[in-house]
Amino acid sequence: MKYIITTLTSLFLLTACSTTPLADNPHSTLIMPSPPEYPIKSVREKIEGSVTMSFDVNTSGKPINIKVIKAEPVKIFDKAAIRSLSKWLYAPKVVNGIAVVDENLEMTIDFNLAK
């Protein structure tokens, strides 16, 4: 009985640990964006703008190393844009069946008040 349990456990672990190669994907693909929260002060003052950021997408599809490279107006929407982008989810870049970090991506988030 011990032998059967050990064999079944080993078989289960071997099959559970095997991985199926992923289909190659030359670029990360956005799956789930998260809308930015408009800063309340900017709404009151009717300020609009945009933030362009550079970032990488890790092997799990999460944006990392987020940096603001351009903001208009400066420093008004930076935190909201970074918070929003950090919640986005991507299908990772896949090379030879293995997820890899996709580097040096750029994204611009616009902050526009409803007209």
Side-chain angles (χ1 to χ4, degrees):
M1 185 67 168
K2 241 184 192 178
Y3 177 74
I4 293 171
I5 292 173
T6 303
T7 303
L8 289 174
T9 303
S10 298
L11 184 59
F12 173 75
L13 289 174
L14 285 174
T15 56
C17 292
S18 69
T19 58
T20 304
L22 300 169
D24 281 2
N25 187 8
H27 304 286
S28 299
T29 308
L30 181 61
I31 296 173
M32 187 177 70
S34 174
E37 290 185 30
Y38 216 107
I40 293 172
K41 182 178 178 185
S42 298
V43 171
R44 279 191 218 127
E45 295 176 10
K46 298 181 181 172
I47 299 172
E48 296 183 331
S50 65
V51 178
T52 301
M53 298 163 285
S54 68
F55 64 102
D56 304 328
V57 173
N58 69 14
T59 58
S60 299
K62 296 294 292 175
I64 57 172
N65 304 324
I66 302 169
K67 295 177 183 78
V68 173
I69 55 176
K70 183 181 175 190
E72 212 36 67
V74 177
K75 303 240 185 236
I76 300 294
F77 298 107
D78 295 22
K79 289 180 183 178
I82 290 170
R83 265 194 309 274
S84 176
L85 182 58
S86 68
K87 294 175 187 175
W88 291 22
L89 181 62
Y90 287 81
K93 176 179 177 178
V94 178
V95 177
N96 296 324
I98 299 170
V100 295
V101 175
D102 198 358
E103 299 176 318
N104 302 317
L105 303 173
E106 285 188 16
M107 174 61 61
T108 299
I109 295 180
D110 294 314
F111 291 83
N112 297 310
L113 296 167
K115 304 275 181 202

